[in-house]
Amino acid sequence: MLVTVLDDASEMAAVAADRVEAVCATTDHPVLGLATGSSPLALYAELVGRHRAGRISFARATSFNLDEYVGLPAGHPQSYIRFIRRNFTDLVDLPAEAVHVPDGNAPDTHAAALAYDHAIRDAGGIDIQVLGIGSDGHVGFNEPGGSLASRTHVGVLTSQTRHDNARFFDGDLDQVPTRCITQGLGTIMESRHAVLLATGEQKARAVRELVEGPVSARWPATVLQFHPDLLVVLDRSAAQLLELADFYAEVSTAGSIAR
Ligand code: F6R
């Protein structure tokens, strides 16, 4: 794990985009793992900008989102399929048929989850996984208490996560689904490279556990300490509880991380 602490959102986006771009350059058919939510928005905007500048193409890429809510009406603006198309995949040359998101409206969501896990494997596995982190320590929607080796599955959202995400549903908790399909931690751990973004003091505790805490199901993101190539990109607020924050900030300048 490499931790970098940066001052502003555009710097964070540039460092993360450099990572995505570098991994994509190593393969003819990159497989991207994509997160939704606020954390990766600046990264996606940066990648769209680089695409428009002719610097990067996703024409031969495939993408797999981390997760999807169960039971949102098809076409709901806060569904993760709509989110990723609106904020990234429709804005670049990634073919629509190569964009994959779990089917939260499948008649059998458990079967859909299993099929999704197999589809990732059939695509050759994920080259670079983009991640955020929940304030309760989830990655994907792997909430506390689950298996650290889980595969893509149907999960239940904590009330903390539903409160956190109510901002996307006009602040109305009742509109936030209670269940999801999520890549499992075992699935996420098989990604060859990963970049996790976190901003704001509401993420500080989860970030401390992720980087410096003991590995435990209480803080699911801690399993990423075993990931072979994880870059953690933080702002100062998210990094504020790290014991070694000064050290990470010293060694992880944007230039040294990117190149
Ligand atoms: C989203 C996902 C979640 C989010 C996390 C942080 O696909 O899997 O783990 O990354 O809930 O959300 P934001 O970035 O909105 O704070």
Side-chain angles (χ1 to χ4, degrees), residues 138-154:
H138 69 232
V139 284
F141 272 144
N142 292 278
E143 298 285 30
S147 161
L148 297 181
S150 60
R151 310 303 309 181
T152 304
H153 62 281
V154 178

Side-chain angles (χ1 to χ4, degrees), residues 117-130:
D117 210 80
H118 290 160
I120 293 172
R121 281 192 176 162
D122 291 348
I126 287 172
D127 290 304
I128 176 112
Q129 176 67 60
V130 175

